[in-house]
Amino acid sequence: MVHLPGRIFRRLVRSLFWAASGFLLLPGALPAWAGASENRETFEAVRAADLKLATIGWRLSVANAPLCDRLEPGLGLQLHTLDQFDSASRTAAQVHFGFATPVAVEGVVAGSPADRAGIRQDDSLVRVGPVDLAALPGKPETTQRLVAAQLAIADLPPAAAVEVEAIRAGAPIKLTVQPVPACRSRFELLLSSGYNARADGTMVQISSQFIEEYTPDQAAAAVAHEFSHNILHHRDRLEARGVDFGMLSGFGANVKYFRQTELQADLLSVYLLANAGYPPRAAIDFWNRFGPSKAGGIFRSRSHPHWRDRVATLEAEIAKLETVSARPMVPGVIAERSQPLSGDWQSLLIRHR
């Protein structure tokens, strides 16, 4: 489990946003308090936390590719850009990470195609297949170039070999990566002292507290739930129903549709976990730990079922999947993702007794 040093974590919570494939260092985040050694400690703590989520996302995306109708080439690369650092921190970051181009490898998922091909952290990228990374649009102190790079790479064929040109320790290198199909989704980590998680159809975002405070399996369960929303196209289907998001999600006709999507995501999440080699009961462990003290805000709104009922529903579904040995398991809810939401959440829910 990644653990950020306490003083580093508290300072970063006040000043940083980071993503699973990079982070944004906001103006004044480091220079006011960090010397060279603390800069290094901070950069490496962020790198380690990013890689933790990237690895969870990788496992879930690759193992469950047969369940997804939107795919991308699974490389196992975790990228970041020099743009993401403010002007006061950019020089320190450039030296620490050895940026020789605007986009570099922050980390590599162990055992991934990129790892097997010999790509290493701090390789500065010139080209990935036909994608000229330096030519992508980017503005200082934004993640614009990072997102553009991720989307351009995701548009490549999911299983075709990719030639990667990079600069390592000042010398050009050229490597060939044989990707594997992966579900198309970005995974971002929000550095925060709160507990927030969301999915928008193309991205999963989760607060750093889930990585910091929960076991790897429990954190994977939280990610799998949000990832399920993307696989089931819930955002598109909710918008097609004309629902209100945000504060109005717990009122009127909105409720039944949000509850249906929440329960569908719960049910699919345990299959995603099992297919990826995580224990399905991690979802129950997560809710039993999270629910009693922290299931507030959106987690306790009228649009979300009570956490005890969610545990009872998960218990019943896990009992079903534990009788199935085939992998990957494809639950029936996958076949429903092209259909309009019916609002029938009652038939999915099992009440806690």
Side-chain angles (χ1 to χ4, degrees):
M1 180 176 180
V2 173
H3 179 71
L4 300 178
R7 69 184 189 284
I8 297 295
F9 179 78
R10 288 190 295 272
R11 288 162 174 166
L12 287 174
V13 162
R14 293 195 297 266
S15 59
L16 293 179
F17 165 85
W18 86 72
S21 46
F23 58 91
L24 176 63
L25 190 54
L26 300 178
L30 287 176
W33 54 266
S37 63
E38 285 198 309
N39 277 352
R40 290 192 294 272
E41 188 176 3
T42 300
F43 291 147
E44 289 306 313
V46 170
R47 191 203 303 263
D50 276 347
L51 189 58
K52 183 68 175 179
L53 179 58
T55 300
I56 292 173
W58 164 261
R59 285 180 61 177
L60 292 172
S61 296
V62 171
N64 290 288
L67 281 65
C68 295
D69 58 356
R70 299 171 182 172
L71 299 174
E72 65 179 41
L75 301 175
L77 285 178
Q78 176 186 337
L79 307 181
H80 62 171
T81 70
L82 196 55
D83 296 331
Q84 293 165 259
F85 298 85
D86 78 299
S87 58
S89 306
R90 195 170 298 128
T91 298
Q94 185 166 16
V95 171
H96 180 81
F97 295 112
F99 278 100
T101 65
V103 181
V105 178
E106 187 188 10
V108 179
V109 175
S112 68
D115 186 25
R116 293 194 297 271
I119 296 177
R120 298 293 176 258
Q121 69 178 33
D122 297 336
D123 284 349
S124 296
L125 297 176
V126 176
R127 188 179 297 274
V128 177
V131 181
D132 182 353
L133 296 171
L136 296 174
K139 295 181 180 179
E141 300 179 19
T142 74
T143 56
Q144 181 182 11
R145 195 190 307 269
L146 172 66
V147 174
Q150 292 171 327
L151 294 177
I153 294 170
D155 280 339
L156 299 177
V162 179
E163 190 172 80
V164 176
E165 297 177 28
I167 297 174
R168 179 182 297 171
I173 61 171
K174 187 178 292 187
L175 300 167
T176 299
V177 184
Q178 180 58 59
V180 295
C183 299
R184 183 163 180 159
S185 190
R186 297 169 52 231
F187 295 86
E188 293 189 352
L189 194 64
L190 175 66
L191 185 57
S192 169
S193 58
Y195 291 86
N196 298 292
R198 70 185 184 96
D200 68 359
T202 62
M203 176 189 70
V204 169
Q205 187 183 77
I206 188 168
S207 296
S208 56
Q209 286 290 85
F210 291 105
I211 301 297
E212 175 73 5
E213 299 295 335
Y214 286 73
T215 69
D217 289 348
Q218 291 166 358
V223 174
H225 171 85
E226 298 302 328
F227 189 28
S228 294
H229 285 307
N230 287 352
I231 293 175
L232 295 173
H233 308 327
H234 278 158
R235 183 77 185 196
D236 293 342
R237 295 163 71 193
L238 286 167
E239 289 178 349
R241 280 297 185 187
V243 304
D244 291 309
F245 293 88
M247 293 295 293
L248 296 178
S249 64
F251 296 91
N254 299 313
V255 174
K256 63 183 180 181
Y257 296 120
F258 280 105
R259 287 192 175 185
Q260 182 184 9
T261 59
E262 283 301 305
L263 289 167
Q264 285 183 345
D266 281 349
L267 295 173
L268 178 56
S269 72
V270 294
Y271 291 90
L272 301 186
L273 290 169
N275 288 338
Y278 291 105
R281 293 193 65 84
I284 293 172
D285 294 339
F286 169 78
W287 278 109
N288 279 333
R289 181 176 174 186
F290 183 86
S293 61
K294 299 184 181 68
I298 63 167
F299 293 103
R300 197 178 290 153
S301 73
R302 293 179 61 211
S303 62
H304 288 59
H306 192 280
W307 71 268
R308 291 189 185 278
D309 292 338
R310 299 176 84 157
V311 167
T313 303
L314 288 168
E315 289 273 13
E317 196 67 22
I318 290 171
K320 295 178 186 176
L321 72 83
E322 285 180 342
T323 66
V324 180
S325 59
R327 295 292 186 274
M329 290 183 287
V330 184
V333 69
I334 290 293
E336 300 175 16
R337 67 175 159 212
S338 61
Q339 303 172 12
L341 292 170
S342 66
D344 177 15
W345 59 272
Q346 293 94 335
S347 66
L348 301 175
L349 187 70
I350 295 179
R351 299 284 185 182
H352 170 73
R353 295 180 180 180

